[in-house]
Amino acid sequence: MAAAKGVTLEYREALGLHTNILDLNHPIEENAPFHFKFFQITDNVENTIFQVLDRFLLQMDLIFVRESVFAALKETITNAIKANAKRVFFKNRASNIYDNNQYVTEMSEFKKTYLDNRDEIEESLHKHNFGVFVSFIHNKNLMRIRIMNNVQLTDEEIVRITKRIDKAKTYNDLAEAFADLSSEEEGAGLGLIMTLMMLKNDGLGDSAFKFETGENKTVFMIDVPANIAKTNVHVEKIDKIVAEIDNLPTFPKTIQDIQTAIDKPNSSITQIAEMIKKDVSLSANILKLSNSAAFRRGGRVESLDRAIQLIGLKELQNLLYSLGTKQLLEDKFPAFLSIWEKSNECAFYCKMIGERMGMNKNNISNLIASSLLHDIGEILLLSFDPNHMSKIRNYSNSKEIASSISMEESAIGITHSKLGAMVAEKWNFPILYIKGMEYHHKPLSSDEVYHDIIFPIYLGDMMIAINHKEAKSSEIPEEILKLCKFNSKSEFDSFRIKMHEKFKFD
């Protein structure tokens, strides 16, 4: 699957880079590569590269490996730009990067200088013609991504990269890799190992990632076969977690009784309020919910009858799933509070997105309830395996990987989204909520019938991650923005900033 020779690349302002395609709607055909050239990562470049990745994966029905391939591609591009920046740094200091002694001496200074002056150094790459070339090509058997820069690696760099690749092959899972965190000498090395483990977990074996270097050229390749076979080496860990789920109590009967009463045609707010008042904790939670950003209208709500009136009986019936879950988990699991606060923020954003999409009141209440519930699996995993979950969260945030699903599965054997869906099934929740839990990190893998719930929850989570500088809007698939009535990433970003301010002050 060799790339075409002598292809002319033209600068496309709308895409932010040089390419051989006219726009992002360019048809994908077998053995017809898409080529891109750029000098540094900008929002425009990221947007183009990751939209093209989505299109190729969707074309080959491989969207389920998006996160691991996305992380590997982002890591490799970042390292290619860093390698180019080293050359500029050494050139400016009249040092020879290919002299091992000078390399060792200058690298400590480079790390400090690069961290302090990264933008300035990367802006000079264009002047020195140190570019990065990315190509996508596929046939019926394979999709290949080539990441190339026009420099030859030093002996030291080759040793470091080879060492990391070989080390990754010795690990059975990400948990073993985390045990070596403290021994890593260079940040890029850890990132490479993590991404290789994520690829392996998604069924992409040792041959999926390789590199070669020669005169004035270094090429990394990510190969994604059309047929991927996954194996799970975490059976024992999964069995232990499933046992923990089996030990969870059943969903509260008092809440089920209230939901049944609401279903009766002659039910009234007064009758339902009397039933709820028998449960002090539930009453307090309903009052608290009615005063949250997603429901507040005007002054503070002080009475339960007014809270139910504000929320609505049918809407309350949906929300009781999340309030019952809160009752069961908040006293037993230490991670509950922080995740619940995040879910409340997500629920507010989902309500605003649902209104933008023109949803009716019942659909919006389903969306709010589902968004409040969507991360209950994370509450459980943080409690069942706090050590690995903490490391995963820290690493994914530092790398601006909004979703750490592949890392969870590789380290623990199960994702928080799958775990949440299992708990929801145990408690006989509506299928809509189960799907919201299971697919909110892999929305493009879900059935279309659930997109109106799953896509807004994914966007709500992304808004929170971007607000905390843990992700970028360029990572969001266009299909999701389109369904949620955003015409562009800039329109989404304006909405995100406005809603973040509204949430803080409501």
Side-chain angles (χ1 to χ4, degrees), residues 9 18 23 34 43 80 97 155 164 218 265 294 312 328 357 367 370 381 397 403 435 488 503:
L9 305 183
H18 292 78
D23 54 42
F34 284 23
D43 288 345
I97 195 169
D155 291 342
R164 269 64 181 230
T218 298
L328 286 173
M357 294 168 66
L367 177 56
S370 188
L381 268 192
N397 289 350
S403 166
K435 295 298 182 181
S488 65
F503 177 79

Side-chain angles (χ1 to χ4, degrees), residues 219-289:
V219 180
F220 285 82
M221 284 172 281
I222 303 169
D223 286 345
V224 186
N227 297 308
I228 298 175
K230 287 188 68 170
T231 57
N232 201 319
V233 298
H234 303 280
V235 176
E236 190 176 330
K237 289 181 184 177
I238 294 173
D239 286 346
K240 184 178 178 183
I241 290 173
V242 170
E244 296 272 11
I245 294 174
D246 290 340
N247 290 330
L248 288 173
T250 56
F251 199 68
K253 187 177 185 305
T254 53
I255 288 183
Q256 294 179 52
D257 290 343
I258 295 168
Q259 289 175 313
T260 302
I262 292 174
D263 255 342
K264 293 178 180 177
N266 59 347
S267 62
S268 68
I269 288 176
T270 302
Q271 290 171 331
I272 300 303
E274 287 304 313
M275 292 181 71
I276 292 171
K277 284 173 184 174
K278 295 174 184 176
D279 188 326
V280 176
S281 174
L282 180 60
S283 299
N285 282 328
I286 291 174
L287 274 172
K288 191 178 292 185
L289 186 66

Side-chain angles (χ1 to χ4, degrees), residues 54 102 168 197 206 211 219 221 230 233 255 264 288 293 306 341 392 399 408 411 444 452 468 477 485 491:
D54 285 344
Q102 289 188 46
M197 296 308 300
D206 294 339
F211 80 101
V219 180
M221 284 172 281
K230 287 188 68 170
V233 298
I255 288 183
K264 293 178 180 177
K288 191 178 292 185
R306 173 61 183 144
E341 287 176 353
I392 288 168
K399 290 290 181 179
E408 287 177 8
L444 296 180
D452 280 356
H468 287 88
K485 305 301 181 186
E491 187 177 344

Side-chain angles (χ1 to χ4, degrees), residues 251 318-326 340 343 367-377 379 420 424 427 429-430 433-434 436-437 440:
F251 199 68
N318 297 332
L319 292 165
L320 283 171
Y321 288 106
S322 57
L323 294 174
T325 300
K326 183 175 187 289
W340 186 254
S343 296
L367 177 56
I368 291 172
S370 188
S371 59
L372 286 170
L373 288 164
H374 77 283
D375 268 339
I376 64 171
I379 295 167
W427 288 340
F429 281 9
Y433 303 163
I434 295 171
M437 293 180 204
H440 65 274

